[in-house]
Amino acid sequence: MLSIRNVRVRYGPIEALHDISLEVNEGEVVTLIGSNGAGKTTTLGAVSGLLPLAGGQIHFDGHDITSLAPHKRVPLGLIQVPEGRRIFGTMTVAENLDLGAYARTDRANLRNELDEIYALFPRLAERRNQAAGTMSGGEQQMLAVGRALMSRPKLLLLDEPSLGLAPLLVKEIFAVVKRIRAKGVTVLLVEQNAHKALEVADRAYVLETGHISMTGDAKTLANDPRIKAAYLGA
Amino acid sequence: MEFLQQVANALTQGAIYALIALGYTLVYGVLRLINFAHGDVYMLGAFFGLFISRWTGALTLSQNNKSVPLWMTAVVFVGAMIGSALVGMVIERFAYRPLRTAPRLTALITAIGVSLLLEYGGQMAFSPDPQPFAALIAERNIIDTPSFSLSLVQLFIVGAALLLMLSLNFLIQKTKIGRAMRAVSIDRAAAQLMGIPTDRIIAFTFALGSGLAAAAGVLNSIYQPSIDPLMGVQVGLRAFVAAVLGGIGNIYGAVLGGLLMAFAETATVAVGLSRYRDAVAFAILILVLLVRPAGILGRNVAEKV
Ligand SMILES: Nc1ncnc2c1ncn2[C@@H]1O[C@H](COP(=O)(O)OP(=O)(O)O)[C@@H](O)[C@H]1O
Ligand SMILES: [Mg+2]
């Protein structure tokens, strides 16, 4: 469904991604793990189109999206939940959700999506008319995910959704990832929390300073001594 | 009654400042850019109004002391607003968009350059001399007492400005494109990730602000029926001060700032210090910014980098 081939991304003269290749198949949860600064956010920026490529190609669902404008990728069914949530803080929860559906042409069906998302995140329903920025970090993360789901994506890109959340909320977020996949949405999950990420994912890629250093089945990687030593604190 | 008269005059002037200040604030909201050419777009609006008045025959009617039919007035307004909206979009597309990722200072200098281009271009195209404007609204007083008079023109200006402001508020608060404008002004990259065509939204914002400036240009020209290519310089500066005073980026702040500027100006003139009115305006601005650095209704947040 998503195929990244030999992608390079530069920030000015510095190359942050060197020849990255990665595949995500329909129905999978794939995780991209790596330490801070490895290039995980940069990879998602390349996929969502915020960052131009210095080389390589990206295909999504049969389309070559290598140089497609970011806003044109959303209607194809590709949406990103950015790192740090980036919700529209002075707007209400309902307005944020509505913006997630901006690119949709079937606005008559929005009601169903909205009901589904409010069922998935009951806290958002209670706070629908509240300014989004006044909610707790966990609620804001739920909103960021809900907002992306409003676009009815085929592939959801999640950038460190557990970052800065209390353990209980981290658990909740990963439970949400499972429920999203159960709805038939494919997920590419970027995480520093390798332990949790490998638990929910089918397959994983390990990113190290702009290279893919390892890839494989999530269960296998979780038991790999090198992964245990570097990312699982064992 | 003298006081009431001053209030009526200040409201009229304030409505015009507010309409222009809205354009500064809208563009600043989505681009964090002071569009220094905005006062000149206001001037162009007045000239578009003049040309359309000529073309429809409104100018001839008014010069023969005949009243101008309402439909002609409407055509002049709508035409001038569309004309300036297109100019605003062209300025955005060719002067500012190529500099989207350039340093702030580059965009600022470009803005000043565009402003000078329109001012000197305007003098070449329309001649530097003042030209009479059409009396699009009958020159008649609705209230006429020895101590207080309110003209139909004043009522029309305040009414039209109010209608435009309410429409703008509806657009921004209640429509899909208005939500997109707010999203772009809060976080452009996040807006892009939601599938919002941010370039189109920014162009639309320029069109909107420029259209309001043109409406202000025509309204002002009905009030003070003589226009010239430099008419936007001083008014533009005052409206800019108004936008900053109210809290740039905030549409209610722009309206509040516009009214405050007009009241301060009227008061300064009333006590016989008309030569100092700009000095007073800036003094108020500095005092307010000392207490509230982001303006009266501005949010005091650190500038995003
Ligand atoms: N806007 C930027 N300008 C310059 N360098 C950047 C920028 N964003 C990220 N980088 C650099 O690119 C590398 C990868 O960053 P990033 O993709 O954010 O890592 P991760 O998400 O894995 O923590 C880092 O070395 C980082 O310093
Ligand atoms: Mg990151």
Side-chain angles (χ1 to χ4, degrees), chain A residues 35-42 83 159-160 163 190 192:
Chain A
S35 46
N36 202 7
K40 304 182 296 297
T41 298
T42 305
E83 183 175 37
D159 196 348
E160 302 215 32
L163 192 70
V190 157
Q192 269 190 67

Side-chain angles (χ1 to χ4, degrees), chain A residues 48 50 70-71 74 79-80 82 86-91 95 98-100 102-104 107 147, chain B residues 173 176-177 179-180 182-184 186-187 189-198 200-201 299:
Chain A
S48 57
L50 287 185
H71 71 266
V74 178
I79 199 156
Q80 181 181 352
R86 310 276 286 265
I87 51 150
F88 303 110
T90 51
M91 299 172 78
E95 285 176 325
D98 195 79
L99 281 165
Y102 187 89
R104 278 178 59 174
R107 294 186 68 79
R147 181 181 66 174
Chain B
Q173 303 299 341
K176 186 179 172 191
I177 195 160
R179 269 193 295 278
R182 282 185 286 148
V184 170
I186 295 169
D187 187 336
Q192 251 175 331
L193 288 179
M194 293 306 110
I196 296 172
T198 50
R200 229 177 295 157
I201 300 295
R299 230 176 275 276

Side-chain angles (χ1 to χ4, degrees), chain B residues 1 6 65 114 116 122 147 149 161 169 208 236:
Chain B
M1 278 313 236
Q6 301 287 9
N65 288 321
V114 172
L116 292 173
S147 58
S149 67
N169 190 48
L208 202 59

